[in-house]
Amino acid sequence: MRILIIGGGIAGSAAALALDKAGIAATVHEAHPDEGADIGAFLTLASNGMLALAQFDAAEAVSRVGFDLTTMRITGDTGTVVSTVPLGEAEDPLRRYRCLRRAELAAALRAEAVRRGIAVEHGKRFVSAEEDEEGVTAVFADGSTARGDLLLGADGMRSAVRSLTDPDAAAPRYAGQRVFYGYTTDAAPPSEPGRIDMLRGSTAAMGYAVSPQGETYWFARVSGDELSRAEIDGTTPTQWRDHLLPMLRPDATAAAEIVAATGEHLMVTNASDLSTVTRWRTTRMLLIGDAAHAASPATGQGASMALEDAVVLAKSLRDAPSTEAALETYEQLRRPRVERNIVTSARLTTRKAPNRLRRTVRNYRARFQKPGTGPSPSQADDLLTAQLDWESPLPVPAPSGN
């Protein structure tokens, strides 16, 4: 079997690594012409993401970038510490939470793929694909084509592949918040090694962590109207800083100090999600990662969910008796979990989870489990661990009838 992967970001590179471990050949087709990336946003990779990385032997490569997070402290707008809680499994360096830039994670995974001899082709902007009984052909903007048995759409929230698997899918939905990201070496906020601080401000939610090198990584979530592309591109970091500071200064926290000390390394984006994607797949195409199930960033699980996808897909193709059965297995195992994450993340923003998405999750529960038989939280953790464990075969569910 040969698989074409559209997109060389986190989901696509992780899928290539997991498939390679399963003995399945894959080629990554990335639209960008080189490895270059701006400073970009950062993310927190949770223990489930690190566990997924370990299954295809990439946890050590990722642990070489970013830094560990072992505790989280929550502070109210008056400066009172509400709680301090542990994060992850501190005794295991490869299961600790990790703070790193999104571009760093993607680059580390691509580099590991290249090191293992996996083909990564740059400058391949996907245009369309055609399926037939024998396989699928991808067409790129430069006029070239590629042929494979299966095509994975790992091309993010604005996926071009999704327009083929689900032409009626709703466009990404603004989730009601603007998210600011910044970096500074000129702030000295209260910090401890390995701690992320969450500040519950009166008008903005903020989080920050200080790297071992003394650089403060921070984000702020602010309710407001959706920003246009012209506003995002045409507003300078200084203007965004001046816009954000009046919202932070009334609070007795380090938020205003951190933002005031931030120079040009400041950016803003709209928090968006996919309210639902009815069809993840056709006979020879499948969506993974944000292309299928993008959540707003409130839960901080986007990257970890994509890494889980990679493991479960590779195991499904390894263990199921046919490609059709593998795709069915993958979807039945992944849909309930990732769509619950979308609902949870939507509830943490200013808008409630859309009714359509709640119905989608309820319908999948009805299809995949009997009423009253849902797992407890501890059982759900055990089920996830079993699904991710590379040595544990996946159960192949009964066909859904689709």
Side-chain angles (χ1 to χ4, degrees):
M1 172 178 282
R2 172 158 292 277
I3 296 182
L4 311 177
I5 300 176
I6 307 302
I10 295 168
S13 298
L17 288 165
L19 291 167
D20 179 69
K21 183 166 183 179
I24 300 170
T27 301
V28 178
H29 301 273
E30 167 57 41
H32 292 289
D34 53 43
E35 298 285 351
D38 60 24
I39 194 163
F42 72 93
L43 58 84
T44 300
L45 196 59
S47 287
N48 56 309
M50 294 301 296
L51 174 63
L53 285 169
Q55 306 314 303
F56 49 88
D57 309 314
E60 289 190 18
V62 171
S63 71
R64 291 193 284 269
V65 294
F67 52 95
D68 288 344
L69 295 175
T70 55
T71 60
M72 177 175 66
R73 187 176 72 173
I74 301 172
T75 303
D77 62 329
T78 63
T80 301
V81 175
V82 176
S83 65
T84 301
V85 296
L87 293 176
E89 301 180 21
E91 69 280 0
D92 184 350
L94 298 184
R95 292 289 299 276
R96 294 172 186 162
Y97 277 53
R98 197 139 197 94
C99 185
L100 69 169
R101 292 179 173 93
R102 178 173 291 275
E104 289 178 325
L105 176 56
L109 293 173
R110 281 196 302 270
E112 184 65 14
V114 171
R115 188 188 71 79
R116 297 186 194 182
I118 299 169
V120 179
E121 298 186 2
H122 288 271
K124 295 295 182 180
R125 185 169 297 279
F126 176 80
V127 174
S128 64
E130 293 185 4
E131 299 176 271
D132 55 49
E133 292 183 359
E134 302 299 324
V136 59
T137 301
V139 180
F140 301 99
D142 62 3
S144 64
T145 62
R147 181 77 173 168
D149 300 292
L150 180 67
L151 182 148
L152 301 184
D155 49 344
M157 189 181 293
R158 308 277 174 186
S159 171
V161 179
R162 189 169 62 245
S163 65
L164 302 178
T165 61
D166 191 354
D168 296 326
R173 178 192 74 107
Y174 179 54
Q177 289 184 334
R178 305 166 178 184
V179 186
F180 296 79
Y181 296 94
Y183 307 91
T184 178
T185 55
D186 295 328
S191 64
E192 292 179 0
R195 188 179 76 200
I196 184 167
D197 279 85
M198 308 300 289
L199 310 179
R200 294 176 176 172
S202 54
T203 58
M206 186 171 180
Y208 73 88
V210 180
S211 76
Q213 293 74 36
E215 184 175 25
T216 300
Y217 290 45
W218 64 267
F219 74 87
R221 300 201 318 265
V222 179
S223 299
D225 294 335
E226 183 176 11
L227 296 167
S228 68
R229 176 48 56 187
E231 287 176 301
I232 293 174
D233 293 342
T235 306
T236 67
T238 298
Q239 290 171 322
W240 285 127
R241 185 172 63 247
D242 292 344
H243 171 77
L244 186 56
L245 277 172
M247 304 180 203
L248 305 177
R249 284 196 170 114
D251 299 331
T253 69
E257 169 204 339
I258 294 169
V259 174
T262 301
E264 292 300 305
H265 292 155
L266 191 158
M267 61 175 287
V268 65
T269 186
N270 292 312
S272 300
D273 62 18
L274 289 172
S275 61
T276 185
V277 177
T278 303
R279 297 185 64 201
W280 281 10
R281 56 190 166 97
T282 62
T283 302
R284 294 189 178 273
M285 289 189 282
L286 173 71
L287 302 176
I288 62 171
D290 280 354
H293 50 73
S296 67
T299 57
Q301 276 286 326
S304 294
M305 290 291 170
L307 297 173
E308 289 181 12
D309 282 355
V311 176
V312 176
L313 176 60
K315 289 181 62 179
S316 297
L317 289 166
R318 180 195 70 185
D319 297 342
S322 67
T323 300
E324 180 181 3
L327 301 190
E328 179 77 3
T329 298
Y330 169 80
E331 184 168 2
Q332 289 198 26
L333 293 176
R334 294 302 295 158
R335 263 214 193 248
R337 177 168 170 78
V338 299
E339 291 187 337
R340 279 195 299 270
N341 181 58
I342 297 173
V343 171
T344 300
S345 198
R347 286 173 178 161
L348 293 175
T349 59
T350 56
R351 295 181 181 177
K352 294 180 180 179
N355 288 334
R356 179 171 55 177
L357 182 53
R358 289 200 295 267
R359 288 196 301 270
T360 299
V361 174
R362 185 170 62 247
N363 290 343
Y364 270 87
R365 285 174 177 164
R367 284 173 54 191
F368 300 148
Q369 67 182 40
K370 296 178 181 179
T373 62
S376 67
S378 61
Q379 289 172 327
D381 288 343
D382 291 342
L383 287 172
L384 176 64
T385 299
Q387 288 177 15
L388 295 182
D389 179 56
W390 192 259
E391 302 304 324
S392 299
L394 284 176
V396 179
S400 67
N402 283 352

